Amino acid sequence: MEVIIGKKVLEKLNYHLREMAYSKLYIITDHNVKGLYGQYLSDSLKDYDHAFYSIPPGEKSKSVDMVLAIYDDLIDKKIDRGSLIIAFGGGVVGDLAGFIASTFKRGIAYIQIPTSLLAQVDSSIGGKVGIDYGGLKNIIGSFYFPQLVFIDVSLLKTLSYRDVICGLAEILKYGLIADYHLFKYACSNFDKVFNKNEDLLLELVNSSVCIKQEIVKRDKLDKGERRILNFGHTIGHGIESLYDFNKYNHGEAVILGMIYESYIGMEMGLIDSSYFIEIYNSLIELIKPIRFKEDEIKSLLDLMRNDKKNLDNKFIFILPTGKGQVGVFDNIDTDLIIKSLKGEWF
Ligand SMILES: NC(=O)c1ccc[n+]([C@@H]2O[C@H](COP(=O)([O-])OP(=O)(O)OC[C@H]3O[C@@H](n4cnc5c(N)ncnc54)[C@H](O)[C@@H]3O)[C@@H](O)[C@H]2O)c1
């Protein structure tokens, strides 16, 4: 899977598509991204027969109803296997468009042009596509790799503060699981990240994509090593659902998850207290941890027990084992999880 990363590269997309020879291009995007960059993309594709389908922004659009509406439009517009679907947006658009590409006419080619930081460093890489159903996130889906991932960091200049946090959380996670220097580098440049400094973003996106690609290459179908990408996510997912996905966005919840899970790692003797304090002091600059009440902890444990990553009713945790290193653990003492969530230690 080819990945192109750069500043102001969208205007050169035309050139990269030249080698691919598709009859029609069908761009799936959301209303925000279309409003901001639709014309820009259209100009760069002026030599191609292309059409847009724009969806309302947000997770609710990753639905069966939306898939059916887009299938209808694909049929109307006579999109065939010689056409190319372009996912132009954040992770919602990428997951939905990739799922449609994987199923329509038994699979037609698609490319990802991720426009949010989370989509650039995470969701566009790794071939996981899907939609939500019955209140369950990503419950229907498949693995379907794009022909090309085309990343233009200049598009990030319009991203909101909270959406920057979402992507930054994953960058920090890559640092903590695989590249301590990336973690340190990102932490010492939070101001530049939030100011959307393009040179810095380019470096961070490049390093993150390399790490994710390496891990995915060794475990394409998520049967083993890919699990380490879930550092911070076991508790993070629990926190997101505890508040019905309203209070914390995914990135904020993952940052909290990384704090509590690092504490568990320290208490288990996997990392020393100075490394834990380093992680803690860096992450609380972005989001403050919470002292969960007893009933909240009970709900969190239930939510974590139901996490689809768990096997045989055991909690699976990814915990830090050294600087830029993690391991997979399935024998975590429930009392230790409770102690971490009570937060009497901060
Ligand atoms: N497939 C995977 O491996 C994978 C991995 C992680 C997350 N995901 C999925 O990704 C989704 C979350 O992705 P997300 O955080 O990008 O959410 P999103 O797609 O909802 O985008 C967040 C917001 O940013 C806006 N936006 C996007 N690009 C913009 C830009 N350049 N300027 C201004 N606004 C912009 C969008 O319109 C939206 O309002 C979830 O559905 C999650 O399940 C998938």
Side-chain angles (χ1 to χ4, degrees), residues 271-286:
I271 55 169
D272 58 27
S273 58
S274 65
Y275 182 44
F276 168 70
I277 289 165
E278 197 180 321
I279 296 173
Y280 177 80
N281 284 338
S282 305
L283 298 186
I284 61 165
E285 279 190 47
L286 299 172

Side-chain angles (χ1 to χ4, degrees), residues 165-312:
I165 291 216
C166 248
L168 181 56
E170 301 298 340
I171 294 171
L172 296 169
K173 178 199 74 182
Y174 292 126
L176 290 171
I177 66 173
D179 181 353
Y180 174 68
H181 296 290
L182 171 63
F183 174 73
K184 292 299 285 175
Y185 189 57
C187 289
S188 54
N189 283 294
F190 283 160
D191 53 337
K192 282 191 181 170
V193 175
F194 289 109
N195 287 328
K196 332 273 176 47
N197 178 300
E198 288 187 2
D199 291 317
L200 180 82
L201 287 169
L202 189 60
E203 283 182 79
L204 297 180
V205 171
N206 243 319
S207 307
S208 301
V209 166
C210 285
I211 292 171
K212 181 151 185 193
Q213 272 191 304
E214 254 323 292
I215 294 170
V216 168
K217 203 163 75 187
R218 292 197 290 265
D219 180 19
K220 263 191 156 177
L221 301 182
D222 201 4
K223 304 252 187 247
E225 191 185 338
R226 258 179 107 148
R227 285 190 299 182
I228 67 169
L229 293 167
N230 287 318
F231 174 52
H233 286 62
T234 306
I235 291 183
H237 279 156
I239 294 175
E240 258 187 299
S241 6
L242 180 71
Y243 297 106
D244 284 331
F245 299 90
N246 284 324
K247 185 165 177 184
Y248 297 104
N249 69 23
H250 180 71
E252 292 162 342
V254 166
I255 291 170
L256 289 172
M258 291 194 288
I259 294 176
Y260 297 108
E261 292 176 15
S262 299
Y263 175 80
I264 293 172
M266 176 187 68
E267 286 289 293
M268 286 173 64
L270 302 171
I271 55 169
D272 58 27
S273 58
S274 65
Y275 182 44
F276 168 70
I277 289 165
E278 197 180 321
I279 296 173
Y280 177 80
N281 284 338
S282 305
L283 298 186
I284 61 165
E285 279 190 47
L286 299 172
I287 182 122
K288 303 277 176 267
I290 317 145
R291 293 200 169 104
F292 290 102
K293 298 189 200 81
E294 223 160 274
D295 56 327
E296 292 172 325
I297 293 177
K298 196 177 160 305
S299 308
L300 274 173
L301 290 173
D302 286 343
L303 288 163
M304 284 188 252
R305 266 190 206 101
N306 290 331
D307 193 308
K308 63 178 184 294
K309 290 183 294 299
N310 290 333
L311 294 172
D312 304 331

Side-chain angles (χ1 to χ4, degrees), residues 71 74-83 85 99-109 144:
Y71 285 156
L74 288 167
I75 294 165
D76 264 9
K77 300 233 161 63
K78 302 196 167 33
I79 298 299
D80 58 23
R81 293 181 78 184
S83 311
I85 289 183
F99 179 73
I100 288 168
S102 78
T103 47
F104 189 69
K105 300 205 169 176
R106 295 200 181 86
I108 69 176
Y144 194 62

Side-chain angles (χ1 to χ4, degrees), residues 30-33 36-37 57-59 62 89-95 114-119 122-130 132 137-138 154-160 163 166-167 170 212 226 233 250:
D30 74 22
H31 300 338
N32 293 340
V33 175
L36 289 164
Y37 301 109
E59 189 69 27
K62 254 173 71 174
V92 164
V93 164
D95 282 10
T115 62
S116 69
L117 186 57
L118 176 111
D122 188 0
S123 60
S124 66
I125 310 290
K128 283 189 183 177
V129 297
D132 307 332
K137 275 192 80 174
N138 302 322
S154 305
L155 303 179
L156 301 173
K157 63 178 181 287
T158 44
L159 209 58
S160 72
D163 283 316
C166 248
E170 301 298 340
K212 181 151 185 193
R226 258 179 107 148
H233 286 62
H250 180 71

